[in-house]
Amino acid sequence: MGEPDIVLTRVDNRLVHGQVGVVWTSSVGANLLLVANDDTAEDELQQQLMSATADSSGVGIRFWTIDKTISTIHKASARQHIFLVVRTPQDARRLVEGGVPIHELNIGNMHFSDGKEQVTKYTYMNQQDKDDLRAVADAGVNVFIQETPDDKKIKIQEVI
């Protein structure tokens, strides 16, 4: 088996929604959405809602834990063009450190919560988020913030 064709990896605390399932998926040429998040892998209601979005875009969707993604993604078929979506920078860091070949990490929506500061219009981070993203970037991954495919990419090093 060769390296899986991961066309893009995105951190978005909403995971798969209209913007991800339609706009981003078609923009990057994906035919499979892979949601890698431990909580979502166990939540059937969330899976049903996200599956409806994937169905409307004509792409497949899978819901795996971080550990299953690490152990299984290398078995992907060459015809699978994978858009990998995670909820947090911590999920992304675990994947990279687990050997998942992520070359680009797009930071999408990271909503405000206690202890987080605004980094861009739609991106709020705490120190742990920043540390995790630095570690991913230090591992050689191109990490950038970009809300939609038409927006300008902001290199993570410019804001953290």
Side-chain angles (χ1 to χ4, degrees), residues 59-71:
V59 298
I61 191 166
R62 305 282 184 279
F63 303 95
W64 291 354
T65 64
I66 298 297
D67 287 341
K68 181 174 182 177
T69 303
I70 291 167
S71 67

Side-chain angles (χ1 to χ4, degrees), residues 41-96:
E42 307 300 324
D43 188 329
E44 287 187 29
L45 179 58
Q46 279 190 57
Q47 291 179 23
Q48 288 173 357
L49 295 170
M50 290 184 238
S51 293
T53 300
D55 289 347
S56 71
S57 295
V59 298
I61 191 166
R62 305 282 184 279
F63 303 95
W64 291 354
T65 64
I66 298 297
D67 287 341
K68 181 174 182 177
T69 303
I70 291 167
S71 67
T72 308
I73 198 158
H74 294 281
K75 298 175 186 173
S77 163
R79 69 179 180 274
Q80 292 176 311
H81 308 296
I82 303 166
F83 184 9
L84 183 56
V85 184
V86 298
R87 188 180 302 273
T88 67
Q90 293 81 12
D91 288 345
R93 182 177 185 173
R94 285 179 58 202
L95 291 173
V96 169

Side-chain angles (χ1 to χ4, degrees), residues 97-145:
E97 290 177 349
V100 175
I102 294 172
H103 302 292
E104 291 196 315
L105 180 62
N106 165 244
I107 308 303
N109 282 334
M110 291 178 57
H111 290 160
F112 174 80
S113 62
D114 285 342
K116 295 197 178 206
E117 63 179 350
Q118 189 169 17
V119 176
T120 68
K121 186 173 182 180
Y122 298 104
T123 310
Y124 294 81
M125 296 181 190
N126 61 23
Q127 192 58 51
Q128 183 66 54
D129 295 331
K130 292 175 184 178
D131 292 346
D132 289 329
L133 293 173
R134 274 192 201 97
V136 169
D138 289 348
V141 178
N142 176 25
V143 181
F144 59 91
I145 298 172

Side-chain angles (χ1 to χ4, degrees), residues 8 45 102 126 147 153 158:
L8 185 65
L45 179 58
I102 294 172
N126 61 23
E147 180 66 20
K153 290 182 180 180
E158 295 175 17

